[in-house]
């Protein structure tokens, strides 16, 4: 009788721990982990009634079509979750967010086109992530950034045409990556991937099968074989000219800056202007070929050839003018800090303030990979001649301004 009572008592103690849906087989492994085996059961959804301390849940090879926010609420302790070879097409945000102990997640061979990547932020213990053989068309650049323990990542056999630079950064434990059999468009947007594969210690399985589908000239070639000369990071040069000496400006000074860029593909030119009172960003020309200004509210006229003109330049326009060159390989910029100063005798004042300064009809500065640590770039001081009679007029207004000289003072050696 005593052995029977002991057996009944033990069953009562273990019963709640081994709660198991009828379609599953549940057991305790030698290492103490609880296994719920529910594979090959023709299930259409995650079964209910699982024990809260299940650590291994196998749901492979069923007909599950979606995963809801509460699909795994009963198994918060799960460490290995196998969902491969189902028909999952919809994954609701929050479906995996609470599974903070998860180490292995297999979602391979499903129909997932859109995934709640924010769910991965909480899965800092994840070591293996299989998302191969799905319908993924894109990934956020920071999709995996919180997965510091991730060792193996499978993304092969999806519909990825590009990958954002930095996708595999901040993965110190990554040792295996599979990205083959994706229809990559080998524009310069994926050129970073070639450089990354050349320097990484990560094993990229079947790297030769990571082929380009487009453009046509690269079709069939490996992503790692994109020719270097097709993709060149931008270079940028900023030029400011003055031939206004001994001239009279009735309408004020028009400051002209010219931005020359090079690179492949040809970079776009963008401008950033920071004055004491405002910050302006101009992405592309705002002056049409016929001379009409697209953005009439702006005082800064930007032309297609990279030239910017600021008519009637005045004290409130002083500040930092930055030209950016942007293409698929990267971004480069160069800045000039423009200041305006009046003087009765600009030549003498200029030499007194800077004995080494000389008369400059035009200068240019160039910036490649080096970034200006001050953020201000070179300093351009325009010193103009104010006749005595101009200063004596009512209110101090100046109707004529004689431009004297143009001073370029290097604050940072480039």
């Amino acid at each position: 009788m005593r052995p029977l009572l002991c057996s009944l008592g033990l069953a009562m103690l273990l019963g709640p721990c081994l709660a198991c849906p009828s379609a599953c087989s549940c057991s305790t492994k030698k290492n103490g982990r609880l296994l719920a085996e529910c594979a090959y059961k023709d299930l259409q959804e995650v079964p209910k009634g699982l024990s809260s301390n299940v650590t291994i849940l196998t749901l492979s090879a069923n007909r599950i079509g979606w995963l809801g926010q509460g699909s795994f609420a009963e198994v918060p302790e799960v460490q290995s979750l196998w969902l491969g070879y189902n028909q999952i097409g919809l994954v609701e945000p929050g479906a995996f967010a609470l599974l903070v102990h998860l180490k292995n997640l297999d979602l391979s061979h499903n129909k997932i086109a859109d995934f709640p990547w924010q769910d991965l932020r909480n899965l800092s213990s994840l070591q293996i992530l299989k998302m191969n053989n799905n319908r993924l068309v894109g990934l956020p650049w920071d999709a995996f950034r919180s997965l510091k323990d991730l060792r193996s990542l499978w993304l092969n056999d999806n519909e990825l045409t590009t990958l954002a630079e930095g996708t595999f950064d901040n993965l110190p434990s990554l040792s295996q990556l599979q990205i083959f059999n994706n229809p990559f468009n080998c524009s310069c947007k994926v050129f970073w991937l070639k450089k990354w594969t050349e320097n990484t210690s990560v094993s990229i399985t079947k790297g030769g099968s990571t082929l380009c589908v487009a453009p046509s000239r690269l079709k069939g070639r490996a992503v790692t074989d994109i020719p270097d000369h097709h993709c060149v990071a931008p270079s940028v040069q900023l030029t400011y000219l003055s031939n206004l000496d001994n001239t009279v400006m009735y309408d004020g000074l028009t400051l002209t800056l010219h931005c020359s860029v090079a690179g492949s593909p040809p970079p776009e030119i963008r401008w950033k202007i920071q004055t004491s009172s405002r910050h302006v960003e101009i992405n592309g020309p705002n002056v049409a070929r016929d001379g009409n200004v697209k953005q009439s509210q702006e005082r800064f006229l930007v032309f297609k050839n990279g030239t910017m003109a600021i008519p009637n330049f005045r004290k409130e326009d002083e500040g930092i003018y930055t030209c950016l060159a942007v293409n698929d390989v990267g971004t480069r910029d160069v800045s000039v800090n423009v200041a305006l100063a009046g003087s009765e005798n600009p030549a003498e004042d200029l030499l007194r303030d800077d004995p080494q300064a000389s008369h400059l009809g035009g200068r240019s500065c160039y910036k490649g990979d080096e970034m200006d640590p001050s953020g201000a770039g070179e300093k351009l001081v325009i010193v103009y001649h104010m006749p005595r009679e101009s200063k004596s007029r009512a209110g101090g207004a100046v109707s004529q301004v004689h431009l004297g000289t143009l001073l370029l003072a290097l604050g940072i050696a480039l």
Side-chain angles (χ1 to χ4, degrees):
M1 180 63 69
R2 181 173 294 176
L4 179 59
L5 291 175
C6 291
S7 298
L8 289 173
L10 183 61
M12 292 176 64
L13 288 173
L14 294 179
C17 297
L18 295 176
C20 194
S22 58
C24 305
S25 174
C26 302
S27 61
T28 304
K29 308 293 284 184
K30 290 182 179 180
N31 56 11
R33 295 181 180 178
L34 297 183
L35 167 65
E37 175 62 68
C38 311
Y40 296 95
K41 300 298 182 180
D42 207 32
L43 297 173
Q44 297 185 34
E45 60 182 15
V46 178
K48 302 297 182 183
L50 290 163
S51 175
S52 61
N53 49 1
V54 165
T55 53
I56 304 173
L57 177 57
T58 302
L59 290 163
S60 305
N62 282 292
R63 293 194 297 131
I64 299 173
W66 69 283
L67 299 174
Q69 186 174 3
S71 292
F72 305 105
E74 293 182 336
V75 287
E77 304 294 323
V78 68
Q79 297 179 19
S80 297
L81 181 56
W82 310 108
L83 288 158
Y85 293 92
N86 275 281
Q87 300 176 20
I88 300 170
L90 174 63
V91 182
E92 293 183 356
F96 300 103
L98 300 180
L99 304 183
V100 296
H101 302 288
L102 202 59
K103 294 182 178 180
N104 307 301
L105 176 58
D106 181 7
L107 288 164
S108 63
H109 296 272
N110 279 288
K111 301 177 181 180
I112 301 172
D114 190 20
F115 185 80
W117 301 104
Q118 64 272 19
D119 279 16
L120 299 183
R121 295 173 185 171
N122 295 333
L123 308 187
S124 57
S125 298
L126 202 62
Q127 298 178 9
I128 298 175
L129 176 59
K130 295 184 177 182
M131 302 192 74
N132 53 293
N133 294 88
N134 275 285
R135 299 176 181 176
L136 296 173
V137 296
L139 305 170
W141 70 271
D142 60 348
F144 312 115
R145 66 181 305 177
S146 63
L147 306 182
K148 304 300 183 183
D149 292 334
L150 190 67
R151 295 186 287 107
S152 182
L153 176 60
W154 298 34
L155 295 169
N156 55 285
D157 293 278
N158 275 285
E159 298 178 14
L160 299 172
T161 58
T162 189
L163 289 170
E165 185 171 1
T167 298
F168 307 122
D169 290 350
N170 301 312
L171 296 176
S173 302
L174 189 66
S175 60
Q176 182 189 32
L177 174 65
Q178 297 190 176
I179 55 174
F180 59 89
N181 290 345
N182 278 290
F184 283 111
N185 181 344
C186 293
S187 69
C188 293
K189 289 183 179 180
V190 297
F191 186 68
W192 72 270
L193 185 59
K194 172 185 176 176
K195 296 299 183 183
W196 183 80
T197 57
E198 291 172 350
N199 297 295
T200 186
S201 59
V202 176
S203 174
I204 304 175
T205 308
K206 294 185 179 180
S209 298
T210 309
L211 304 179
C212 304
V213 172
S216 57
R217 69 178 184 276
L218 297 177
K219 186 175 182 179
R221 296 184 65 170
V223 173
T224 52
D225 290 338
I226 300 176
D228 287 356
H229 67 271
H230 281 295
C231 303
V232 180
S235 62
V236 57
Q237 186 174 2
L238 187 59
T239 306
Y240 24 93
L241 299 171
S242 174
N243 55 3
L244 300 176
D245 293 336
N246 303 317
T247 62
V248 179
M249 298 295 291
Y250 291 93
D251 298 322
L253 165 70
T254 295
L255 176 67
T256 302
L257 304 174
H258 181 70
C259 188
S260 301
V261 299
S264 181
E268 298 178 2
I269 296 176
R270 303 174 185 174
W271 290 90
K272 290 185 179 180
I273 301 107
Q274 179 68 62
T275 69
S276 59
S277 60
R278 61 175 172 169
H279 180 79
V280 178
E281 294 189 11
I282 305 174
N283 297 322
N286 60 10
V287 179
R289 289 187 176 182
D290 58 7
N292 291 325
V293 181
K294 297 178 182 177
Q295 299 172 351
S296 57
Q297 75 277 13
E298 295 293 354
R299 294 192 59 254
F300 309 103
L301 306 180
V302 177
F303 299 85
K304 189 176 182 180
N305 67 351
T307 296
M308 173 189 284
I310 305 99
N312 195 25
F313 192 87
R314 47 186 184 259
K315 290 291 288 184
E316 52 263 40
D317 296 324
E318 292 181 332
I320 300 173
Y321 289 73
T322 302
C323 173
L324 299 94
V326 182
N327 70 5
D328 290 340
V329 186
T331 301
R332 297 292 184 269
D333 69 84
V334 65
S335 300
V336 61
N337 190 349
V338 183
L340 196 60
S343 170
E344 292 183 6
N345 194 332
E348 289 184 4
D349 291 345
L350 171 59
L351 292 174
R352 182 173 63 250
D353 294 338
D354 185 355
Q356 311 224 332
S358 60
H359 173 72
L360 301 175
R363 283 293 296 271
S364 64
C365 56
Y366 172 84
K367 185 170 293 183
D369 293 333
E370 296 294 327
M371 298 297 289
D372 183 357
S374 72
E378 297 189 349
K379 181 107 180 245
L380 175 64
V381 180
I382 301 169
V383 183
Y384 57 89
H385 181 217
M386 293 182 62
R388 294 175 185 267
E389 60 270 19
S390 297
K391 298 174 67 175
S392 64
R393 295 183 181 180
V398 179
S399 60
Q400 297 184 9
V401 178
H402 295 269
L403 287 211
T405 188
L406 185 66
L407 166 64
L408 171 65
L410 292 178
I412 298 293
L414 297 180

